Amino acid sequence: QVQLVESGGGLVQPGGSLRLSCAASGSIFSIDKMGWYRQAPGKQRELVATITNGGSKNYADSVRGRFTISRDDAKNTYLQMNSLKPEDTAVYYCNLASYEGGRFINYWGKGTLVTVSS
């Protein structure tokens, strides 16, 4: 099985920064991409940023220029969040999309809460 564990969430003031980490463990056949999604209160889960196996990055318009996704190996990914805004408040989920046996499979962490407030 694949397990994803997020960390780094917390309370931060507007304009502040946080760095989220996602540690992946277990048997991973092939990583298509990893990414971060978030779900704010009363909202649907939305894409924040992704990074492909080849290192290509994609960001939601709302975070582009403020957030940076990165990785240090195939099992760890990070989300550096700068210039945080109250609207960034959400539970942030790590996602790993793998290609196994000819099928795409998504794995999710349990989330880490980010609260941006004065």
Side-chain angles (χ1 to χ4, degrees):
Q1 78 281 19
V2 175
Q3 293 183 328
L4 305 176
V5 180
E6 305 97 335
S7 63
L11 175 64
V12 65
Q13 292 184 329
S17 298
L18 283 175
R19 184 172 182 262
L20 305 183
S21 299
C22 176
S25 63
S27 181
I28 304 173
F29 180 75
S30 180
I31 297 176
D32 180 62
K33 66 175 68 175
M34 295 188 70
W36 292 90
Y37 291 71
R38 68 186 182 187
Q39 187 167 22
K43 302 290 186 179
Q44 297 185 47
R45 187 176 299 186
E46 65 177 354
L47 181 146
V48 177
T50 60
I51 182 167
T52 69
N53 186 48
S56 180
K57 301 174 182 179
N58 183 56
Y59 297 96
D61 290 341
S62 59
V63 307
R64 187 176 293 108
R66 300 187 297 119
F67 292 9
T68 303
I69 189 169
S70 62
R71 65 175 189 267
D72 58 11
D73 59 37
K75 291 189 174 183
N76 297 280
T77 188
Y78 307 90
L79 185 69
Q80 178 66 46
M81 305 185 295
N82 298 325
S83 302
L84 283 161
K85 304 174 180 179
E87 51 262 46
D88 294 320
T89 296
V91 176
Y92 284 72
Y93 298 90
C94 180
N95 168 259
L96 185 155
S98 68
Y99 192 74
E100 306 174 17
R103 298 180 178 181
F104 288 101
I105 301 177
N106 281 295
Y107 299 93
W108 297 91
K110 294 182 178 180
T112 185
L113 177 63
V114 172
T115 302
V116 185
S117 176
S118 298

